[in-house]
Amino acid sequence: MRILIMAIALAFAMIQPVSAAVYQQGVIYVIYEENVIKDNADLNSNDVPDYVEDMATQVNAAREVFKDVFKFPDPLESERFKGVTSIEIDLLDREELGNSGKAFSNVRKKSKHDPNERAIYIKLANTVDSHKKPTPTHEYFHLVQYGATYFRNGWFLEGMATWAEDSVSEIKKYPNDLAIPLKLRSKTYENQIFEKKYSTAKTLWFPIAISKKDKAKIPASLIKKYKYVDGTPVFHDDVIYGANVMRDIIHKMKDKEEVAAANFGGFENWRKKGQRDEQNNEIIMDCVREVYYSR
Ligand SMILES: [Zn+2]
């Protein structure tokens, strides 16, 4: 049966012309079928749609901010993604993808741009306008999280990735909460946080960053360096709130993985389901509190 399926797959692959284009910018590779690109503007006449270049540019900009300026762990240097040398972005039709972006925690042992190279990857929809949306940064940040820790609880993964969008976005009014020091000790508050995903950026991550006065600047050299093909700056302003706090929390989480895994019989048995189990919630929240009260 397996041979039959492989034979059909092979025959199908031979009939279907392989038309995927590859665009490289540093360690980032964008893989796309030419017909998914809706805007073919090519201001710099390099035969690559600016739309494609801009997507890679945003990811590289976010990558430099997190990796080089704020010293977040680099997914390409992580233990988990050993031997991985690149990040692939599959640029797909919105209908096919089903949403605007997804990040994956498995490794492509044979990357799409080179079967001899290993890659980690994200998928982005052809409706994402990098000039207006921080989706490439959000999905890239998931790779940072995956490389740094195995914890997968949604209030951490989605909430903090939503926080990370601040790096390239302009936030006019940061969500504040003066009661945060008290709330961090409240069971009711905790339980509300644990049930949520994206919205914890507003109810937890930004409020702790602001409470800790962790306001930082994106260096002027980076603002100048990262521009879209039409000259628009990638960074919408130079303020980022919470980068030091979030980095410290992520490091703390790495240290506590053993405690969490022990609930499931050790690392060998701490699989995806266990990595997002509610038993992890208190352990992650302890990391938040430890960083919060020690800074
Ligand atoms: Zn996400």
Side-chain angles (χ1 to χ4, degrees):
M1 186 62 184
R2 179 175 279 182
I3 292 169
L4 180 66
I5 293 170
M6 278 169 63
I8 294 169
L10 190 65
F12 198 71
M14 286 189 323
I15 304 163
Q16 291 266 316
V18 182
S19 61
V22 177
Y23 165 70
Q24 182 195 0
Q25 189 186 99
V27 294
I28 313 291
Y29 291 80
V30 187
I31 322 280
Y32 61 102
E33 304 278 336
E34 275 153 12
N35 61 9
V36 305
I37 309 297
K38 292 173 173 176
D39 179 356
N40 276 296
D42 181 17
L43 290 178
N44 55 356
S45 315
N46 64 348
D47 286 331
V48 179
D50 300 344
Y51 180 84
V52 172
E53 285 181 70
D54 290 348
M55 217 165 227
T57 302
Q58 190 186 113
V59 173
N60 265 318
R63 181 170 159 75
E64 191 162 342
V65 167
F66 290 118
K67 177 171 86 68
D68 299 312
V69 181
F70 296 106
K71 312 293 178 199
F72 278 71
D74 177 5
L76 294 185
E77 296 295 325
S78 72
E79 193 64 35
R80 182 178 196 170
F81 300 136
K82 234 186 172 97
V84 170
T85 48
S86 59
I87 295 166
E88 291 190 329
I89 302 172
D90 293 356
L91 177 48
L92 299 166
D93 188 82
R94 173 73 172 73
E95 297 297 308
E96 188 190 334
L97 186 58
N99 53 27
S100 53
K102 273 183 199 162
F104 295 80
S105 58
N106 59 313
V107 170
R108 269 187 185 153
K109 289 186 180 141
K110 294 179 176 188
S111 77
K112 288 195 171 176
H113 73 278
D114 179 352
N116 297 312
E117 259 198 55
R118 288 169 177 243
I120 45 176
Y121 64 107
I122 59 179
K123 295 183 179 181
L124 291 167
N126 63 345
T127 46
V128 171
D129 180 351
S130 305
H131 291 237
K132 296 189 183 129
K133 293 278 177 194
T135 319
T137 295
H138 177 110
E139 300 308 333
Y140 169 72
F141 194 78
H142 283 316
L143 299 181
V144 174
Q145 292 172 307
Y146 295 149
T149 173
Y150 284 88
F151 282 109
R152 310 181 71 97
N153 298 67
W155 62 276
F156 156 64
L157 277 187
E158 294 307 344
M160 202 186 277
T162 303
W163 160 82
E165 296 171 6
D166 182 27
S167 56
V168 294
S169 308
E170 182 188 10
I171 296 180
K172 295 222 166 73
K173 197 175 183 313
Y174 280 92
N176 195 3
D177 184 351
L178 294 175
I180 205 77
L182 286 173
K183 283 185 172 175
L184 285 178
R185 304 250 187 235
S186 145
K187 276 267 164 265
T188 320
Y189 170 74
E190 274 187 358
N191 290 331
Q192 285 163 358
I193 293 290
F194 298 160
E195 287 174 3
K196 296 288 198 298
K197 287 179 158 186
Y198 302 85
S199 63
T200 63
K202 282 202 177 100
T203 54
L204 173 71
W205 304 112
F206 275 121
I208 63 173
I210 288 152
S211 172
K212 290 278 102 177
K213 302 187 168 50
D214 184 17
K215 184 182 187 179
K217 291 235 171 203
I218 292 165
S221 56
L222 257 64
I223 309 262
K224 210 173 148 198
K225 176 176 174 186
Y226 286 103
K227 300 220 163 106
Y228 293 124
V229 177
D230 71 358
T232 324
V234 173
F235 299 104
H236 288 204
D237 70 6
D238 64 353
V239 180
I240 177 165
Y241 250 108
N244 299 294
V245 168
M246 302 308 149
R247 179 202 57 232
D248 291 355
I249 291 170
I250 282 185
H251 280 302
K252 191 69 85 179
M253 286 170 70
K254 181 87 215 155
D255 297 342
K256 298 231 184 196
E257 283 182 342
E258 212 174 325
V259 182
N263 288 330
F264 298 85
F267 275 114
E268 323 78 70
N269 302 311
W270 198 39
R271 301 287 176 201
K272 262 190 190 171
K273 206 163 160 260
Q275 291 162 10
R276 54 171 173 259
D277 193 276
E278 58 180 31
Q279 290 185 69
N280 306 332
N281 286 336
E282 269 310 317
I283 300 169
I284 305 172
M285 196 51 104
D286 277 341
C287 300
V288 173
R289 278 189 288 256
E290 280 177 33
V291 170
Y292 186 84
Y293 292 112
S294 69
R295 279 187 75 94

